[in-house]
Amino acid sequence: MEFLFNCVFLSSWFADPNDEILSLSLGSCFISSPLTLADSDYVGKLGVVSGWGRVTEKGDPTDTLKEALLPIFSNPVCRALRYHPHEITDNMICAGYVHGGTDSCHISEPGRWLYNVVNIDAHDLAKGKPHLVLGLLWQIIRIGCFNQITLEHCPGLANLLEDGEKIEELMKLSPEAILLRWVNHHLERAGVNRRCTNFMSDIKDSEIYSHLLKQIGPNDAGVTMEALSEQDLIARAEIMLQQAEKLGCRSFLTPHDVVEGVYKLNVAFVANLFNNHPGLDKPENIDFEGLDHIEETREEKTYRNWMNSMGVNPHVNWLYSDLADGIIIFQLYDIIRPGVVDWKRVHSKFSKLKKFMEKLENCNYAVELGKQLKFSLVGIAGQDLADGNPTLTLALIWQLMRAYTLSILTQLADSGSPIVEAEIITWVNTKLKEAGKSSGIRSFQDSSLQNALAIIDLVDAIKPGTINYDVIKMTGEAEDNVANAKYAISMARKIGARIYALPEDITEVKPKMIMTVFACLMARDYIPNMDTKTN
């Protein structure tokens, strides 16, 4: 039975410099009259949230009363994820999706999917929703700007190593952190004492940019330091950008963007400088053989993006090192089973002398919680997580992702018993048969899944008329199978399924990822109008 309540939905948009897009935080629902239910009575239930809030960032409130069906979270989860503890009081209720994107004001704005691009369709673009369009454009720009910050494209990155640091440790840093180190490397080479710690306040006076441009520019480019003789910051920024133009890199920024310290635009500007004029020679004293494992695998990237879509804090840049203290894992546990984590046992801050033992205690507790949730953790100890053991860490992450997916299905089905994989397979075949489709599946390892037809048929069964069967290629060729898989995922997302798997996961019949595809479609079928309800 659903627990229904009406309330004023308080949502807040924030622009985190370390976040890729404007993110929607979990919403707090203020209950005007006291509740007699205990916290455990309503956590995990679905609540109806209504309101007249703003439908765009800083925009005008809508005149239409809207509502959304959202899962209710415990207040400790809210406090642990996005809010400061004092912002969530005992007379509030938190409801929403941890990955954001749906509330009573922003009904049709879905959350983020792989690569943290907002999961929007042609209708959102046609309506010209500013924050969605800008978020999508930033993701495209970010991917384009950052895809060359790798050892493959620039072996000279090894010059940025600090004393005693390994190349593996350097490449675990976020692209933004590597760019900061790159800027400071050239400032040091230029004999400048100043250092850059951020791409906002530190670059407003154009001094760091002027020294950087002079250092990385070819001798015949004619780059000068004349900007520093100008006292007006706007005029100085314009002169500095004129020097960048000599390098063919006057992109993204205006003088006002520099002076105002607009984070994303300045990051894109610096990334463009790096891509065109890295100024880093390949070091001769480093053996690059055998370093292929440093690059992120497809499986690792999928898991990392799933965790980030859950709204974990801090942002996960490198799977193993960022999970080594257990903090992210605890947040995921509390999302899957609200209240399961005893936060008094968790070390959220670490002392210098006891740091190693405190992190190990966290990891031991993380394994203990996994066993409490009936995870299969044979042979996995806290030390394995603390050491970043790839095989065993991935085994735990998969079970977290599986548990989350099945918990959402169980909640939506409201059957009173947990959903298991066999029920998903039964639902898929029943749905296909009822729609008159000839396809079907025996298991998530069924080799017939490689052409993606069963997924395509299921999308059309959920929302008839969605699929254009003229574009489906049934030759069985690998290239055509990939094309089908891309189309299947695209159309599944278009009808509202939050898919994390990649086309290759389907064509290679990766059972774990394929299970999540069908589970997400099953969830979409249970509540078809969750993101479009209006009253």
Side-chain angles (χ1 to χ4, degrees), residues 299-307 394 397-398 513:
E299 183 181 16
E300 291 166 347
K301 183 179 291 184
T302 300
Y303 289 151
R304 181 174 59 82
N305 281 283
W306 168 72
M307 287 186 283
L394 288 177
I397 297 172
W398 158 243
M513 291 297 106

Side-chain angles (χ1 to χ4, degrees), residues 84 124 200 281 284 313 459 470 474 494 529:
H84 296 293
D124 296 308
M200 294 178 289
D281 297 325
E284 299 178 356
N313 186 26
V459 171
D470 291 338
M474 300 304 298
K494 184 175 181 180
N529 300 314

Side-chain angles (χ1 to χ4, degrees), residues 48-68:
V48 175
V49 182
S50 60
W52 290 272
R54 294 189 178 103
V55 295
T56 60
E57 185 197 5
K58 297 181 181 179
D60 296 327
T62 176
D63 293 330
T64 304
L65 177 65
K66 297 187 176 184
E67 66 177 36

Side-chain angles (χ1 to χ4, degrees), residues 66 102 137 143 161 334 347 369 461 532:
K66 297 187 176 184
T102 303
L137 288 176
I143 293 170
L161 289 171
D334 223 352
H347 298 283
L369 284 177
T532 57

Side-chain angles (χ1 to χ4, degrees), residues 184-247:
N184 289 325
H185 171 79
H186 283 298
L187 292 176
E188 183 178 6
R189 290 184 61 189
V192 179
N193 293 326
R194 189 171 175 184
R195 294 294 180 266
C196 184
T197 62
N198 61 71
F199 294 118
M200 294 178 289
S201 59
D202 282 3
I203 49 80
K204 289 183 177 183
D205 60 5
S206 299
E207 180 181 344
I208 286 176
Y209 281 159
S210 296
H211 287 295
L212 176 64
L213 292 168
K214 179 66 175 177
Q215 180 64 28
I216 66 175
N219 294 331
D220 58 356
V223 176
T224 70
M225 301 287 292
E226 62 180 290
L228 300 186
S229 62
E230 174 59 56
Q231 298 302 310
D232 181 78
L233 292 184
I234 295 293
R236 177 188 290 189
E238 171 58 33
I239 298 172
M240 179 275 295
L241 290 173
Q242 290 173 6
Q243 308 309 308
E245 190 170 12
K246 296 176 182 179
L247 302 181

Side-chain angles (χ1 to χ4, degrees), residues 158-170:
N159 290 291
L160 305 183
L161 289 171
E162 296 179 347
D163 292 340
E165 187 177 36
K166 297 179 181 180
I167 190 71
E168 294 93 333
E169 295 170 330
L170 173 68

Side-chain angles (χ1 to χ4, degrees), residues 148-165:
Q148 294 188 47
I149 307 179
T150 64
L151 285 173
E152 179 183 0
H153 288 96
C154 184
L157 283 172
N159 290 291
L160 305 183
L161 289 171
E162 296 179 347
D163 292 340
E165 187 177 36

